[in-house]
Amino acid sequence: MTVLDVSRGRWRAGLLAVLAGALLPGCESRTPPHRFPLTTPPATDSVPPPGAGVSRPASEEARPSEAPGSPVTGVASPQVVPASASLPAQAPSKARPVARSAFRALPPTTERAGHLHALATRLKAPGGAVEDPCLEQGDAGCARSALTPFFTALDGLVQAPGAAPTVIAAFGNSLIAGDRIVDVVREELAAGFGGAGRGVLLVDRMAPYGGRGRTAAVSHGWQPRTLGELKAPPHPFGITGVYHLATEDRARGRFKLEGEPRGTLWWKDVKGAGRLVVSVDGAVLTRTEPQEDGKSRTTSFDLPAGAKWLDITAEGRGAIVQGVVLQKDGPGIVLDMLGVPSADATLYARLEEDALKAQIAQRDPKLLLFFLGGNESKRLEWKRTDLPTVRQDLAALLRRARAAAPGSACLVVGPMDAVRDGHAKGKPLTQRPFLVAAIQAEREVALAEGCGFFDLYAAMGGAGSLERFNQAGFMHDDLVHPRGQGLDLLGQVVSDALLAGWVNEGAVPALTSSREEAADTGASSETAEVVP
């Protein structure tokens, strides 16, 4: 029997109990409303983390294991070697106090998740567990871990339906910039905890192509500038890592409203730029009042009930929009996609400090999520950076973000599998030489800085997994970017790991993390060799 089978069985039992309480005289149910079933497991129960043998209940239990050279992949599956394999063993620590509530149980598997679990089995993607270091020891063990603020916020969504939204701020590179991967995380969490709207949006796309799920529905007259550009643009960035410059009078972005009660406009107050006009269904709500001092500013506005369209219009050329926030008041998940193509931790230094602090404070995220490492490993291969710089710049980014959101949880997601540049068509693919070293560096920095870590490379199957994805048709021709269900599968393993971590908190040992202890692990700073 699988974990989700057990969860469903407990759900059915719980449902019968609730019905019985409703039907029998004098029996009143005290169960609060929830978006997914309650369970009452013993305090020692835990859901095995993804990759622990029962993490893919919708697929692994239903399908026999496939032999190497299966028709799905056409190649033998290489041995998976997680990046953490070469790291020193962590010192044993006390188990954190068992304080999980009975309502912490996996939600029922969505139809899409079931399909993706089956796909994971075919592609030999085992999933994985989030490493969640202990940040504060209590008398009985770990009192607070890196992800406790996020897990506590999820508890609030279950226990208090009137609570405020739980915001996730997802920074990263092109792996998430198209809003795939994180859209699965967003939707899987919303299926269990409810959704509270779109959050941070852009006035136009970051490129002439791509979807508009995270932008205005219609736009014209804007030039995008991003922190991923080779040469730094003339102005620093807010947390979106993007700004749009009006290149014509009456440049406009039109957003379809979904019942949001209010909105926020983030803009850059630059010299010579005209005002920005905020209007709804043709009626002006407000105008910005530039002071031309170069600061990042915020203009908030209420939206009338029943409004259909929101317009952001530049009165003249040169106006700069950093982002628009549209969010509902009720409880639920909001995931802000803040990824930028070509970004790495070094380029995130282009975020303006005042804008970072102000905009993060306004969003009040309960989870800072970082998808980084792919571009770092590529630039290591090109000799455009080195491992000490990778470590230093990731640590600087995490410290800046955590200082801006001291009450937030923090999780670093490492890069996916990658192959060497310059591969010849039809020739065997060779793993990118610095990939494992980059993953190892990210893991060590994340844990030392008080963040959790998720090894996406190991979760998708480790060495050779990109080739399996490619043979199944889930990689673009550049062999760098996944597509279609390949992206969805990566989002599913991340959401599975977060949900399993929430259910298991308090039932598994917590690593102890501090910069001082990380320095004493004896880990080598030399480049890790790739295991073929």
Side-chain angles (χ1 to χ4, degrees):
M1 181 176 290
T2 69
V3 172
L4 290 187
D5 290 334
V6 172
S7 182
R8 292 193 186 99
R10 289 174 175 159
W11 172 73
R12 294 188 185 101
L15 178 59
L16 290 174
V18 172
L19 289 174
L23 295 173
L24 293 176
C27 296
E28 179 183 18
S29 174
R30 298 180 181 273
T31 305
H34 297 289
R35 292 176 177 78
F36 51 80
L38 308 184
T39 65
T40 54
T44 55
D45 283 358
S46 66
V47 175
V54 290
S55 60
R56 296 289 171 192
S59 56
E60 292 183 356
E61 294 289 338
R63 298 174 57 88
S65 60
E66 300 180 52
S70 66
V72 175
T73 63
V75 295
S77 176
Q79 181 182 5
V80 175
V81 181
S84 59
S86 59
L87 294 179
Q90 296 287 336
S93 62
K94 296 180 180 179
R96 40 182 116 172
V98 178
R100 293 181 303 134
S101 299
F103 55 76
R104 284 198 181 182
L106 291 176
T109 305
T110 63
E111 181 178 1
R112 176 179 60 189
H115 290 312
L116 291 173
H117 290 162
L119 178 61
T121 297
R122 296 201 304 272
L123 294 180
K124 300 179 175 61
V130 170
E131 291 187 74
D132 186 12
C134 182
L135 305 184
E136 181 181 333
Q137 288 288 343
D139 293 339
C142 184
R144 182 172 63 92
S145 72
L147 295 180
T148 293
F150 178 58
F151 294 155
T152 301
L154 296 184
D155 290 344
L157 292 178
V158 176
Q159 292 178 292
T166 292
V167 175
I168 302 170
F171 300 87
N173 50 35
S174 58
L175 192 62
I176 66 168
D179 201 46
R180 294 294 289 269
I181 295 183
V182 289
D183 69 330
V184 174
V185 177
R186 180 189 299 115
E187 291 169 15
E188 286 296 305
L189 291 175
F193 301 94
R198 291 170 285 178
V200 176
L201 306 172
L202 300 177
V203 75
D204 201 353
R205 295 177 294 187
M206 288 183 270
Y209 52 85
R212 288 188 172 273
R214 305 299 295 173
T215 73
V218 180
S219 301
H220 67 82
W222 303 100
Q223 178 189 12
R225 303 303 302 267
T226 80
L227 60 76
E229 296 176 29
L230 185 61
K231 183 179 179 181
H235 303 288
F237 297 89
I239 63 172
T240 61
V242 182
Y243 64 75
H244 283 86
L245 176 73
T247 57
E248 59 185 60
D249 296 342
R250 309 298 297 173
R252 185 183 69 172
R254 169 166 284 188
F255 297 83
K256 174 68 175 174
L257 294 175
E258 299 177 357
E260 297 91 349
R262 64 188 56 84
T264 302
L265 171 65
W266 290 337
W267 54 287
K268 190 76 172 171
D269 193 352
V270 295
K271 187 174 182 178
R275 297 184 297 182
L276 291 160
V277 181
V278 180
S279 56
V280 170
D281 297 334
V284 174
L285 291 181
T286 187
R287 290 180 172 88
T288 61
E289 297 297 335
Q291 299 179 30
E292 301 188 0
D293 56 7
K295 294 184 179 181
S296 295
R297 300 195 182 279
T298 296
T299 298
S300 299
F301 45 89
D302 292 327
L303 295 167
K308 296 181 178 179
W309 295 98
L310 168 70
D311 287 343
I312 306 296
T313 306
E315 289 188 341
R317 300 182 183 184
I320 291 178
V321 175
Q322 296 174 323
V324 175
V325 181
L326 293 173
Q327 181 175 298
K328 299 178 181 178
D329 281 340
I333 297 293
V334 177
L335 194 154
D336 294 339
M337 197 294 297
L338 307 173
V340 180
S342 299
D344 60 16
T346 300
L347 292 176
Y348 266 109
R350 293 175 177 175
L351 296 183
E352 181 183 61
E353 188 67 18
D354 288 345
L356 172 67
K357 291 178 178 178
Q359 292 170 4
I360 283 287
Q362 291 171 34
R363 298 306 296 138
D364 188 23
K366 294 300 180 283
L367 175 61
L368 298 168
L369 189 56
F370 300 89
F371 288 81
L372 294 169
N375 290 322
E376 283 87 343
S377 67
K378 184 185 300 183
R379 286 156 190 160
L380 285 167
E381 180 183 359
W382 295 343
K383 302 187 186 313
R384 293 183 181 175
T385 189
D386 53 43
L387 281 170
T389 300
V390 169
R391 291 172 181 272
Q392 172 184 304
D393 291 349
L394 177 59
L397 172 61
L398 298 181
R399 290 174 192 175
R400 291 181 70 198
R402 294 192 68 208
S408 176
C410 174
L411 177 65
V412 176
V413 178
M416 59 176 283
D417 190 23
V419 296
R420 185 189 295 271
D421 283 346
H423 53 271
K425 190 172 182 178
K427 298 290 185 181
L429 301 179
T430 304
Q431 192 177 54
R432 187 174 290 164
F434 285 89
L435 176 64
V436 172
I439 296 171
Q440 176 174 323
E442 285 201 334
R443 175 182 179 269
E444 292 175 345
V445 170
L447 298 180
E449 293 297 328
C451 297
F453 182 74
F454 182 70
D455 191 343
L456 186 61
Y457 163 74
M460 70 181 289
S465 54
L466 184 142
E467 185 163 6
R468 294 195 293 275
F469 273 53
N470 185 48
Q471 293 187 359
F474 298 139
M475 294 297 299
H476 283 286
D477 291 342
D478 63 4
L479 294 181
V480 172
H481 298 97
R483 64 183 178 185
Q485 290 189 53
L487 287 163
D488 294 343
L489 177 54
L490 297 181
Q492 190 65 49
V493 299
V494 174
S495 59
D496 285 349
L498 282 171
L499 284 169
W502 172 66
V503 171
N504 283 338
E505 190 191 26
V508 293
L511 299 175
T512 299
S513 173
S514 71
R515 295 174 193 169
E516 291 76 13
E517 291 177 8
D520 294 335
T521 59
S524 172
S525 61
E526 297 178 1
T527 301
E529 295 295 330
V530 176
V531 179

